[in-house]
Amino acid sequence: MSTALVILAAGKGTRMESDLPKVLHKIGGAPLLHHAMLSASALEPERTVVVTGHGAELVEAAARDFDGDAVAVRQEEQLGTGHAVAQSRNALSGFEGDIIVLYGDTPFISTETLRTMLDARNNHDVVVLGFEAPDPGLYGRLITDGNSLLRIVEYKDVTDEERGITLCNSGVICADAKCLFDLVAAIGNKNASKEYYLTDIVEIARQRGLTATAVTCDEAETIGINSRIELAAAETTFQTRKRQELIASGVQMQAPDTVFLSYDTTIGRDAEIEPNVIFAPGVTVESGARIRAFSHLEGAHVSRGATVGPFARLRPGAELAEDVHVGNFVEIKNAAIDEGAKVNHLTYIGDADIGARSNIGAGTITCNYDGVMKHRTTIGRDVFIGSNTMLVAPVTIGDEAMTATATTVTKDVPDGAMAIGRTEQTNKPGFARKLFSLLRAKKQAKG
Ligand code: UD1
Ligand code: CA
């Protein structure tokens, strides 16, 4: 049976107090919208439709960024969740199968929960995802009779008796495409909010002799984000969960609460992550690598046995082969460092290739930017780059070559050669002592 997704993301998100559309606010480095799409992507949906409204262009771009085939439809006026789903009808014409309706601001629904809903579809026409909430607040309430779901009542419309119900509506609904759109077409807006409630399809379905049921998940999965306070709390939830996943899979962390991860951070077994490390998106750390304290990594790959930090920064395109050492106050960007090479202190390596076992001395800089364009530095294997070498790119250093300390390299260095480019040293006997006493005398005269 094929599946399609309809993701509702037209709402304004007024309470975020932000110019950015709500679903583009991030958790673990990825927009809320991507989290919603991510858990459903494991179902391999045949089509994904995102309903946009506020900030439509930005939201559409983000949707395509996650899934190039995602289709966006506009809901010009936000007349309710039922109205929003109706907008996806044309985009889904010809689709046969189950549709799952998700909210773009609800990031934690698990794939497993969605699978349970699809399973429940075997026995029921409409499946709603509910959850037990000790404090059900403003959520819609599910009115059930045994296994049957009778209707959903919005908070604004509940009776005093219904208010006491703790089984709530998450908003996620699943039904066959034809069935869903037939039901949605019958929704009216005679309610406290004058909105077209998607939730009304349950009662309409039952009036038509169809069946509905609720499957439940943990309340933590159904959290929707409405304010920055909720966003921050959700970030904490995400971080805790992701840390636990990694630790359970064999990653060593001494102070997990100080390690910040992204949605896609991948770390291998027996890798060690010291305190206060930040993983921005796109990082893979392989088994047995060690990321030392206070390092920041983004878009980087660290191979087995490599060591990074303390206080190192790996930027996008940093590719560290096995047993590479990157030490303190080193920045690496768009550079491949081959097996066993060492860049240990106070260095910038950008747009470069460094060969196996080469050693880059302290204070080395690849001068990769001429103010207009970026250029590449290529360093061979078994090279020794002396401290404080300026490598003015584009430039190539051959295998087993060497640069003398403080050399500014502007010309290619052949294999096995040593480049030295600095003014010759002269010593002036006794000059330092004379100068010191002169300066001290001056200071004294000044008082
Ligand atoms: C909805 C449910 C409620 C449930 C709650 C769970 C309805 C009528 N109510 O209420 O039963 O307990 O979610 O969080 O469905 N949206 C659009 N277009 C619209 C309206 C909404 O795209 O015209 C989108 C919003 O951007 C949001 C989602 O739909 O992503 C939910 O809308 P929201 O207004 O937050 O619904 P609730 O009032 O919270
Ligand atoms: Ca909401």
Side-chain angles (χ1 to χ4, degrees):
M1 174 68 97
S2 32
T3 311
L5 304 177
V6 172
I7 300 178
L8 306 189
K12 190 169 181 199
T14 314
R15 286 161 59 201
M16 294 301 287
E17 298 293 348
S18 172
D19 292 337
L20 191 68
K22 175 161 79 173
V23 296
L24 299 190
H25 284 266
K26 289 178 178 171
I27 289 180
L32 295 174
L33 180 66
H34 287 193
H35 286 271
M37 294 172 88
L38 187 67
S39 56
S41 66
L43 304 172
E44 299 183 6
E46 192 177 305
R47 294 192 211 177
T48 297
V49 181
V50 181
V51 181
T52 63
H54 284 281
E57 278 167 31
L58 290 174
V59 176
E60 285 163 17
R64 277 192 303 270
D65 191 30
F66 183 86
D67 172 0
D69 298 327
V71 176
V73 296
R74 295 266 173 112
Q75 184 193 24
E76 299 298 347
E77 258 186 298
Q78 280 71 56
L79 302 179
T81 47
H83 180 259
V85 170
Q87 309 310 304
S88 69
R89 182 175 204 143
N90 285 344
L92 286 163
S93 75
F95 169 77
E96 287 178 10
D98 282 340
I99 291 179
I100 298 179
V101 179
L102 293 169
Y103 293 168
D105 63 359
T106 304
F108 297 143
I109 308 278
S110 71
T111 308
E112 200 188 326
T113 294
L114 297 177
R115 288 219 169 92
T116 312
M117 291 184 75
L118 288 172
D119 286 347
R121 270 277 301 118
N122 291 325
N123 303 311
H124 299 275
D125 296 299
V126 176
V127 178
V128 171
L129 180 63
F131 59 99
E132 278 293 341
D135 174 18
L138 306 182
Y139 287 117
R141 309 293 207 269
L142 302 187
I143 316 290
T144 52
D145 178 10
N147 246 346
S148 285
L149 176 62
L150 305 181
R151 40 198 186 93
I152 305 177
V153 191
E154 283 308 292
Y155 179 77
K156 284 186 184 161
D157 304 296
V158 289
T159 62
D160 287 342
E161 199 184 321
E162 289 163 340
R163 193 168 294 127
I165 295 173
T166 51
L167 184 60
C168 298
N169 175 31
S170 71
V172 185
I173 284 185
C174 177
D176 165 76
K178 182 172 182 311
C179 170
L180 178 68
F181 288 116
D182 283 352
L183 294 171
V184 162
I187 298 173
N189 67 347
K190 292 207 179 63
N191 52 51
S193 317
K194 307 265 179 297
E195 279 186 14
Y196 294 85
Y197 291 159
L198 176 61
T199 45
D200 282 355
I201 67 166
V202 173
E203 199 172 4
I204 299 169
R206 297 201 47 99
Q207 285 161 2
R208 295 181 177 185
L210 302 172
T211 64
T213 195
V215 303
T216 54
C217 68
D218 203 77
E219 187 181 1
E221 271 189 50
T222 69
I223 287 169
I225 309 300
N226 298 297
S227 66
R228 287 185 188 266
I229 290 179
E230 287 171 6
L231 183 73
E235 178 75 49
T236 303
T237 304
F238 167 83
Q239 291 297 339
T240 306
R241 204 184 56 200
K242 182 89 186 171
R243 287 169 193 141
Q244 283 169 355
E245 271 173 30
L246 289 173
I247 292 169
S249 72
V251 176
Q252 185 187 338
M253 290 188 204
Q254 296 154 256
D257 288 353
T258 68
V259 173
F260 291 86
L261 304 154
S262 281
Y263 70 103
D264 61 350
T265 305
T266 306
I267 307 180
R269 219 171 120 101
D270 290 323
E272 182 185 350
I273 313 299
E274 289 188 356
N276 296 297
V277 173
I278 295 179
F279 293 90
V283 177
T284 307
V285 175
E286 288 187 17
S287 293
R290 184 171 182 209
I291 312 298
R292 307 206 52 199
F294 295 100
S295 294
H296 187 287
L297 293 78
E298 177 177 10
H301 176 221
V302 180
S303 301
R304 276 168 185 276
T307 304
V308 173
F311 299 99
R313 179 169 183 207
L314 301 187
R315 291 173 54 202
E319 176 69 42
L320 274 49
E322 291 190 15
D323 303 321
V324 161
H325 285 206
V326 168
N328 44 265
F329 307 107
V330 170
E331 174 179 341
I332 312 266
K333 181 213 77 167
N334 186 28
I337 322 275
D338 217 341
E339 233 175 285
K342 293 190 169 76
V343 191
N344 272 335
H345 333 265
L346 298 153
T347 288
Y348 172 59
I349 301 293
D351 304 308
D353 297 282
I354 297 178
R357 296 171 304 278
S358 289
N359 191 315
I360 310 298
T364 296
I365 290 175
T366 52
C367 310
N368 60 328
Y369 186 48
D370 59 18
V372 180
M373 283 189 298
K374 301 275 169 68
H375 304 281
R376 219 160 168 91
T377 299
T378 306
I379 297 173
R381 58 161 181 84
D382 299 299
V383 169
F384 180 88
I385 299 290
S387 296
N388 200 25
T389 295
M390 298 294 121
L391 297 154
V392 183
V395 73
T396 299
I397 315 289
D399 293 341
E400 295 172 25
M402 192 184 256
T403 69
T405 293
T407 294
T408 297
V409 181
T410 54
K411 291 182 282 201
D412 289 354
V413 181
D415 288 358
M418 178 173 101
I420 176 161
R422 59 187 188 210
T423 48
E424 206 173 323
Q425 179 177 332
T426 48
N427 287 341
K428 307 196 173 187
F431 191 89
R433 276 196 202 105
K434 246 187 261 169
L435 189 61
F436 282 140
S437 56
L438 202 81
L439 292 173
R440 283 189 192 113
K442 247 190 191 170
K443 191 177 175 187
Q444 216 161 24
K446 265 194 179 174

